[in-house]
């Protein structure tokens, strides 16, 4: 990766750090020796930057290194995600074209719970209060031709109106600005002049794509998270500069709207994970905060995909279990799938992101009883503070982690003994809940885990079965602190081929941060029928997008010979409302290349929906959006093979009573310490495999094989 500093010592260390709800995970990669070192530290929800710096200092202590040895830090953050999930969006202003002030009311309807549900017409909640919408005169058509000139007086009045009311975060989305952004740029200049304190996002720089509602919402989400992300990134950058070189000082520029003006960050180069599977420098990410809304989950999916591919599996479901939630995704041909139809919380965000589904089934998810007497689990979470009952930090309600502790599936401590657990407190909480349900402790605890497993299984179905994939063809890669605790049960429920558990599964997301390239996405709506496609016009748009991507990679410090560009297009059958994305080759777009794109569209359409119209001349294909992704490649860490076992037999470290099934009760179960395992080792369940940051319960009827890279390959016995 291009960096702004060369270490003055002989060591070159890159660090990946992922902040989760409960723990902050850290992985360090020594670029000279190829050594990977991992650790964890408790997250600090009140100020995530404290946990971040504590993690950096802890890993440096393990390595015997200093801040000057670090060549780059890549970070997966939940700042933007949490802001949207919690719904704590401050006062926003919205400026749009005259006559379109009710765009957010019109919105899109959804039927989340089926047509028989009483909540038939469902629209996302307002992100902007109705009386905080202002309109201005001026109008473009869909081809970018000016129909009415920009009304400067309206723009000045709108800017002053927001300034007088103290509304300092504003989104601007003018009609058809994806085709011509002149009016939006003029509006931004007026805001800079009349309301200089305002943080502004304009749609032509956030999402240059048609569909006014989605473009408006995406722009407003970008504006909503911009202040928080900017403060957080500036804080981290400042503390990293002090850690890397106390004598260096520089500041990120104040965030107004659009790009430009940021000084390069000196000290330790700092990169932030984007939802699209790439990273971006901290200096640039403050201008594109919406691109970080799935920062952490994206890193985990990429890390798991690389590990599974090296293990020989290219069709994989990933399951990232944390303290608050579980994130699942699908990997095809070794790469996580992408979408632009995602949502974060209640808000649609039409940006390229790894296709991740999140369910409130993490270790801290709370078990509770409905007024009707039904047991429920989540989505409420005890998080890291106060956390589960067994943490002894003031938690008052039993959680998934408490159920695992009571059943003996996890040890009475975390992080290899660094954090002791209060088993008695967990048992008392489960006992009280069981009494309200009229159950014994074991059935209550196993019931909690069964509900959690089915919640995770349903999320896995959304990324597989819902997309036309046969889940039985897939291996499951589990990671995160709690991701592997229900792995065997998920195989049973979904009839999966098996499970792959990487080494140090609690740190896979942080490892993934060391495997990702710098990426920037650019899109331009260009609607045209395939039958009469003006290929030169398409190539002109693609060249313009490529130039933008090239300029961004230049800014990031990548030499031109390292630049990579990926071209794609969104196609549909004429009359359809939504598109399918397909690749465009790198060469000239001649007739054969354009036809190849159309054929790929037919293939993808059949894969997704079970049919296509390639042989029906009445059904025309339509090109809608053109996209270019600029990639600055990095050197990825190599996964090393582990040694096979010598003549010494495999023996468990200890044994303890564990309950896998309430009817069978507790059974004496061998406990293995994972660092003791060697390539080629095999054993059968019941068993417990423990390591520093994670535990894998192996149910009766399952077999474990340790592969050459130290992965646990868990399969069900015939």
């Amino acid at each position: 990766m291009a960096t702004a500093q060369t270490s003055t010592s002989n060591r070159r260390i890159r660090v990946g750090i992922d902040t989760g709800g409960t723990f902050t995970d850290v992985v360090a990669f020594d670029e000279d020796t190829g050594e990977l070192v991992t650790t964890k530290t408790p997250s600090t929800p009140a100020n995530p930057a404290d946990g971040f710096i504590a993690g950096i200092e802890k890993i440096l202590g393990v390595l015997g290194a200093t801040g000057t040895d670090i060549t780059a830090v890549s970070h997966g953050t939940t700042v933007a995600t949490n802001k949207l999930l919690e719904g704590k969006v401050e006062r926003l202003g919205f400026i749009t074209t005259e006559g379109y002030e009710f765009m957010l009311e019109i919105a899109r309807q959804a039927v989340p719970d089926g047509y028989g549900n009483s909540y038939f017409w469902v629209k996302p909640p307002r992100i902007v209060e109705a009386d905080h919408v202002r309109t201005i005169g001026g109008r473009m058509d869909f081809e970018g031709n000016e129909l009415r000139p920009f009304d400067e007086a309206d723009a000045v009045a709108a800017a002053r109106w927001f300034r007088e009311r103290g509304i300092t975060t504003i989104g601007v989305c003018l009609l058809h600005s994806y085709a011509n952004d002149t009016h939006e740029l003029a509006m931004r200049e007026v805001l800079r002049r009349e309301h200089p304190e305002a943080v502004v996002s304009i749609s032509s720089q956030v999402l240059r794509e048609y569909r006014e509602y989605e473009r408006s919402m995406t722009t407003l989400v970008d504006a909503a998270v911009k202040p928080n992300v900017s403060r957080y990134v500036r804080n981290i950058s400042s503390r990293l500069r002090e850690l890397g070189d106390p004598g260096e000082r520089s500041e990120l520029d104040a965030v107004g709207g659009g790009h430009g003006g940021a000084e390069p960050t000196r000290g330790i180069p700092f990169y932030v994970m984007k939802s699209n599977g790439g990273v971006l420098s901290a200096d640039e990410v403050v201008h594109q905060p919406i691109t970080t809304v799935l920062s952490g989950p994206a890193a985990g999916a990429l890390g798991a995909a690389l590990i599974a591919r090296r293990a020989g599996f290219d069709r994989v479901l990933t399951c990232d279990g944390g303290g608050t939630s579980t994130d699942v995704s699908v990997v095809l041909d070794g790469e996580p799938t992408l979408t632009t139809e995602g949502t974060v919380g209640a808000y649609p965000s039409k940006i390229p992101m790894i296709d991740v589904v999140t369910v409130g089934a993490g270790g801290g998810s709370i078990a509770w009883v409905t007024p009707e007497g039904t047991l429920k689990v989540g989505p409420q979470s005890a998080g890291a503070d106060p956390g589960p009952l067994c943490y002894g930090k003031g938690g008052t309600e039993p959680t998934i982690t408490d159920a695992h502790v009571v059943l003996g599936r996890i040890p009475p401590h975390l992080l290899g003994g660094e954090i002791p657990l209060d088993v008695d407190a967990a048992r008392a909480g489960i006992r009280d809940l069981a009494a309200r349900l009229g159950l014994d402790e074991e059935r209550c605890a196993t019931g909690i885990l069964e509900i959690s497993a089915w919640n995770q299984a349903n999320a896995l179905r959304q990324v597989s079965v819902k997309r036309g994939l046969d889940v039985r063809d897939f291996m499951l890669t589990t990671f995160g602190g709690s991701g592997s605790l229900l792995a065997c049960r998920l195989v049973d429920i979904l009839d999966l081929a098996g499970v792959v558990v990487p080494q140090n599964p609690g740190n896979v997301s942080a490892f993934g941060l060391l495997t990702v390239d710098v990426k920037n996405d650019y899109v331009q709506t260009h609607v045209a029928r395939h039958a009469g496609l003006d290929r030169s016009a398409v190539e002109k748009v693609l060249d313009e997008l490529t130039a933008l991507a090239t300029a961004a990679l230049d800014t990031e410090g990548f030499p031109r010979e390292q630049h990579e560009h990926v071209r794609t297009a969104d196609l549909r059958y004429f009359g359809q409302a939504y598109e399918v994305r397909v690749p465009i080759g790198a060469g000239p777009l001649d007739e054969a290349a354009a036809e190849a794109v159309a054929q790929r569209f037919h293939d993808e359409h059949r894969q997704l929906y079970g049919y296509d119209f390639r042989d029906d001349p009445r059904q025309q294909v339509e090109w809608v959006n053109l996209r270019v992704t600029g990639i600055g490649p990095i050197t990825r860490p190599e996964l090393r093979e582990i040694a096979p076992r010598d003549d010494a037999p495999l023996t468990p470290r200890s044994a303890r009573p564990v309950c896998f099934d309430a009817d069978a009760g507790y059974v004496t179960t061998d406990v293995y310490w994972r660092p003791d395992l060697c390539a080629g080792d095999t054993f059968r369940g019941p068993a417990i495999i423990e390591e520093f940051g994670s535990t894998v319960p192996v149910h009766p009827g399952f077999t474990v094989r340790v592969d050459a890279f130290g992965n646990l390959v868990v399969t069900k016995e015939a």
Side-chain angles (χ1 to χ4, degrees):
M1 180 181 295
T3 63
Q5 166 187 297
T6 302
S7 175
T8 57
S9 73
N10 293 325
R11 304 188 71 176
R12 297 184 303 150
I13 297 170
R14 277 198 288 129
V15 177
I17 183 162
D18 178 63
T19 300
T22 305
F23 293 106
T24 294
D25 306 325
V26 192
V27 175
F29 172 51
D30 190 316
E31 295 181 283
D32 297 313
T33 66
E35 180 186 13
L36 281 171
V37 178
T38 67
T39 192
K40 283 176 173 279
T41 188
S43 294
T44 51
N47 184 1
D50 291 339
F52 178 101
I53 295 298
I56 294 287
E57 292 174 341
K58 186 174 181 180
I59 201 76
L60 288 175
V62 172
L63 290 165
T66 67
T68 57
D69 295 315
I70 299 177
T71 58
V73 174
S74 296
H75 179 38
T77 173
T78 58
V79 170
T81 314
N82 292 343
K83 175 86 171 176
L84 299 172
L85 291 177
E86 294 168 6
K88 297 178 181 177
V89 175
E90 285 91 4
R91 298 168 73 205
L92 276 178
F94 181 41
I95 298 174
T96 189
T97 301
E98 184 179 29
Y100 286 82
E101 58 266 35
F102 299 111
M103 187 186 305
L104 300 183
E105 281 83 0
I106 296 170
R108 302 273 181 205
Q109 70 154 359
V111 190
D113 297 316
Y115 285 90
N117 193 283
S118 59
Y119 299 101
F120 186 82
W121 303 102
V122 179
K123 294 183 180 181
R126 291 193 63 91
I127 194 171
V128 177
E129 296 178 24
D131 58 351
H132 289 173
V133 178
R134 312 303 295 174
T135 64
I136 62 169
R139 175 75 178 270
M140 299 287 183
D141 69 9
F142 72 97
E143 293 179 326
N145 302 309
E146 186 178 77
L147 301 180
R148 292 194 297 273
F150 177 74
D151 193 319
E152 179 92 7
D154 280 357
V156 170
R160 292 176 178 176
W161 189 91
F162 287 119
R163 185 188 65 197
E164 291 164 2
R165 286 156 181 78
I167 298 172
T168 58
T169 306
I170 300 168
V172 180
C173 182
L174 304 181
L175 199 65
H176 300 308
S177 57
Y178 59 86
N180 186 337
D181 62 354
T182 305
H183 289 183
E184 281 196 351
L185 293 173
M187 184 69 242
R188 187 178 66 183
E189 288 305 312
V190 170
L191 284 165
R192 283 177 170 170
R193 184 178 71 241
E194 300 290 338
H195 192 3
E197 295 182 358
V199 174
V200 180
S201 293
I202 64 174
S203 73
S204 54
Q205 290 193 343
V206 174
L207 183 68
R208 205 175 181 99
E209 192 173 327
Y210 87 138
R211 292 198 176 100
E212 304 305 317
Y213 170 69
E214 284 80 3
R215 190 154 51 87
S216 296
M217 284 296 297
T218 305
T219 302
L220 288 165
V221 167
D222 183 78
V225 302
K226 189 174 282 186
N228 294 70
V229 171
S230 300
R231 283 193 296 269
Y232 177 71
V233 169
R234 284 199 298 268
N235 187 4
I236 293 289
S237 296
S238 174
R239 296 175 72 168
L240 282 176
R241 282 193 296 273
E242 294 173 6
L243 187 65
D245 187 347
E248 292 283 5
R249 291 292 183 271
S250 69
E251 294 184 4
L252 291 169
D253 64 324
V255 179
H259 295 268
E263 295 181 17
T265 303
R266 288 169 283 179
I268 298 174
F270 180 35
Y271 296 84
V272 179
M273 183 74 197
K274 297 172 65 178
S275 307
N276 68 350
V279 292
L280 192 63
S281 68
D283 294 312
E284 287 300 312
V285 83
V286 296
H287 300 296
Q288 307 175 37
I290 193 172
T291 63
T292 70
V293 292
L294 286 179
S295 180
L302 285 160
L306 185 148
I307 291 167
R309 185 167 65 248
R310 290 299 305 276
F313 305 106
D314 59 1
R315 292 173 69 83
V316 172
L317 299 174
T318 73
C319 182
D320 178 5
T324 303
S325 61
T326 295
D327 304 308
V328 304
S329 65
V330 62
V331 175
L332 298 174
D333 298 323
E335 295 291 338
T337 57
L338 291 171
T339 182
T340 56
E341 305 297 333
T343 61
V344 182
Y347 307 117
S349 298
K350 198 173 169 60
I351 60 167
M353 60 178 70
I354 288 178
D355 195 358
V356 174
V357 171
T358 301
V359 60
S365 295
I366 293 169
W368 53 286
V369 180
T370 68
E372 297 78 23
T374 303
L375 176 63
K376 297 280 189 180
V377 180
Q380 302 91 345
S381 175
D385 189 10
L389 292 169
C390 59
Y391 281 19
K393 295 169 61 177
T396 58
E397 297 176 278
T399 67
I400 291 173
T401 297
D402 294 311
H404 281 295
V405 169
V406 166
L407 296 173
R409 299 190 191 183
I410 62 176
H413 55 75
L414 298 177
L415 303 190
E418 287 185 18
I419 301 177
L421 299 179
D422 189 339
V423 180
D424 291 337
R427 193 175 302 280
I430 296 293
R431 186 183 301 121
D432 290 343
L433 183 65
R436 281 187 280 160
L437 293 164
L439 300 172
D440 58 45
E441 290 178 27
E442 289 73 25
R443 281 180 169 76
C444 180
T446 54
I448 290 170
L449 301 185
E450 184 72 359
I451 291 170
S452 178
W454 278 89
N455 286 341
Q456 292 182 15
N458 288 335
L460 287 164
R461 286 191 180 101
Q462 287 187 53
V463 296
S464 56
V465 178
K466 187 177 178 181
R467 288 153 176 74
L469 303 171
D470 189 340
V471 70
R472 295 170 297 182
D473 296 336
F474 285 77
M475 293 290 285
L476 178 68
T477 301
T478 58
F479 56 100
S482 67
S484 304
L485 291 171
L486 297 171
C488 291
R489 191 70 191 106
L490 290 171
V491 172
D492 282 333
I493 294 171
L494 296 171
D495 196 19
L496 297 165
V499 180
V500 178
V501 185
Q503 292 195 78
N504 301 306
N507 295 79
V508 167
S509 291
F511 168 76
L513 290 162
L514 300 177
T515 71
V516 297
D517 301 316
V518 171
K519 284 187 181 181
N520 263 305
D521 296 301
Y522 298 91
V523 59
Q524 175 69 63
T525 293
H526 184 85
V527 181
R529 305 277 182 91
H530 178 71
L533 187 67
D534 184 343
R535 297 191 302 277
S536 62
V538 171
E539 283 205 283
K540 181 174 183 293
V541 173
L542 290 171
D543 288 344
E544 291 170 352
L545 298 177
T546 300
L548 291 173
T550 298
L553 292 174
D554 288 342
T555 301
E556 294 284 353
F558 287 93
R560 287 286 177 95
E561 62 271 15
Q562 292 184 10
H563 291 197
E564 299 175 10
H565 299 98
V566 176
R567 309 192 303 177
T568 56
D570 298 343
L571 276 66
R572 66 187 178 192
Y573 291 117
F574 179 70
Q576 286 184 324
Y578 292 95
E579 301 82 42
V580 176
R581 185 177 304 178
V582 294
I584 302 175
L589 191 69
D590 55 23
E591 184 176 356
E595 185 58 31
V597 172
Q599 292 303 317
R600 291 190 195 105
F601 163 70
H602 294 306
D603 295 339
E604 290 294 323
H605 196 280
R606 174 165 287 279
Q607 171 66 39
L608 281 171
Y609 303 112
Y611 69 94
D612 64 69
F613 292 113
R614 76 176 72 226
D615 298 322
D616 187 347
R618 298 169 300 175
Q619 192 64 262
Q620 298 187 54
V621 171
E622 191 170 45
W623 295 53
V624 179
N625 298 310
L626 302 173
R627 302 177 184 272
V628 172
T629 298
I631 301 173
I634 64 161
T635 302
R636 290 170 172 76
E638 286 292 325
L639 296 174
R640 294 182 171 181
E641 296 188 0
I642 65 171
R645 181 164 299 283
D646 54 21
D647 295 334
L650 171 63
T651 56
R653 279 283 184 98
S654 61
R656 66 168 177 262
V658 179
C659 180
F660 293 96
D661 180 87
D663 292 332
Y666 289 86
V667 295
T668 301
T669 303
D670 289 336
V671 179
Y672 295 89
W673 181 240
R674 188 162 183 183
D676 293 343
L677 302 180
C678 299
D681 283 345
T682 61
F683 52 92
R684 300 171 63 190
I688 299 290
I689 306 168
E690 295 177 358
E691 58 184 300
F692 176 75
S694 183
T695 301
V696 184
V698 182
H699 289 225
F702 285 81
T703 299
V704 178
R705 173 178 60 86
V706 183
D707 74 4
F709 296 100
N711 301 305
L712 305 176
V713 181
V714 184
T715 53
K716 195 170 184 178
E717 295 177 353

